[in-house]
Amino acid sequence: MPRRAGLTAQKVVELALSIVDSAGLDGLTLARVAEAAGVATPSLYKHVAGLPDLRERVARVVLAGLTDRTREAVIGVSGDDAIRALMDAYRSYLVEFPNRAGFLISPPPTVDPREDLLAVVLAVLRGYRLEGSEAIHAARILRSSVHGFASLEAAGGFGYREDLDESFRRLAGVIVMGLRERV
């Protein structure tokens, strides 16, 4: 196989992410990445230390993408509007990139989502005066609600013709009411 000029660690991660998007998390192999890069599999070791390292790098990109989307959505808003914006951003990311959900459910042990993503969520929850354990419980409720809805939506799991946006709006309303009641 001819060597592909310009291959970098970043390009390897981009190719891996493309494979995840098209073939799912289980479809990510070094052989597939090498094929997409037009190089022999051993050539990838110049850029990544192996599949666990590549998964870690991809997980960081996925978490950063979701973090950026949620952070941008909540800038300049607070309270109920911030919760709704956060939920909308999280949902849109998972619907757009459903195969990345695995990295959000159980990221590699070396990737800590609390570094940034949870910080965004906790900042929004401070608008409800939630701190410490109460904020963590609320964050879990928020995450499981949005992640579950978006995963079902992306998989075509809602079979009735009622408007999904309306269902999601109602879900957000339930979350907001719960937060007001101090979940």
Side-chain angles (χ1 to χ4, degrees), residues 2-174:
R3 179 181 160 95
R4 183 168 175 178
L7 190 62
T8 63
Q10 180 179 341
K11 183 63 178 170
V12 169
V13 170
E14 289 170 3
L15 290 169
L17 197 52
S18 176
I19 289 167
V20 167
D21 287 342
S22 64
L25 184 58
D26 292 336
L28 179 58
T29 65
L30 291 178
R32 274 195 159 150
V33 174
E35 181 181 343
V39 299
T41 302
S43 298
L44 294 179
Y45 287 96
K46 295 174 186 169
H47 307 288
V48 294
L51 188 57
D53 177 44
L54 181 58
R55 284 178 180 258
E56 177 182 324
R57 291 171 189 240
V58 171
R60 289 186 188 284
V61 170
V62 169
L63 285 166
L66 179 56
T67 300
D68 290 346
R69 189 171 289 193
T70 56
R71 183 183 293 123
E72 289 170 14
V74 301
I75 290 175
V77 294
S78 61
D80 298 351
D81 291 337
I83 290 294
R84 286 186 175 94
L86 179 97
M87 291 178 71
D88 286 341
Y90 195 115
R91 174 190 176 203
S92 72
Y93 187 86
L94 277 187
V95 169
E96 184 177 347
F97 303 111
N99 289 339
R100 298 181 185 188
F103 288 110
L104 301 171
I105 293 170
S106 77
T110 53
V111 177
D112 187 354
R114 293 175 293 184
E115 294 172 2
D116 294 314
L117 180 57
L118 185 57
V120 173
V121 174
L122 294 177
V124 170
L125 291 173
R126 277 194 292 277
Y128 293 88
R129 294 188 204 101
L130 294 171
E131 299 282 341
S133 291
E134 291 301 313
I136 296 300
H137 292 305
R140 287 176 177 164
I141 291 166
L142 182 64
R143 176 183 178 215
S144 61
S145 299
V146 177
H147 196 102
F149 189 99
S151 294
L152 285 166
E153 179 180 1
F158 294 118
Y160 295 100
R161 67 175 166 234
E162 280 74 16
D163 183 48
L164 286 177
D165 292 334
E166 176 62 18
S167 295
F168 193 75
R169 187 190 66 72
R170 291 179 185 204
L171 174 64
V174 169

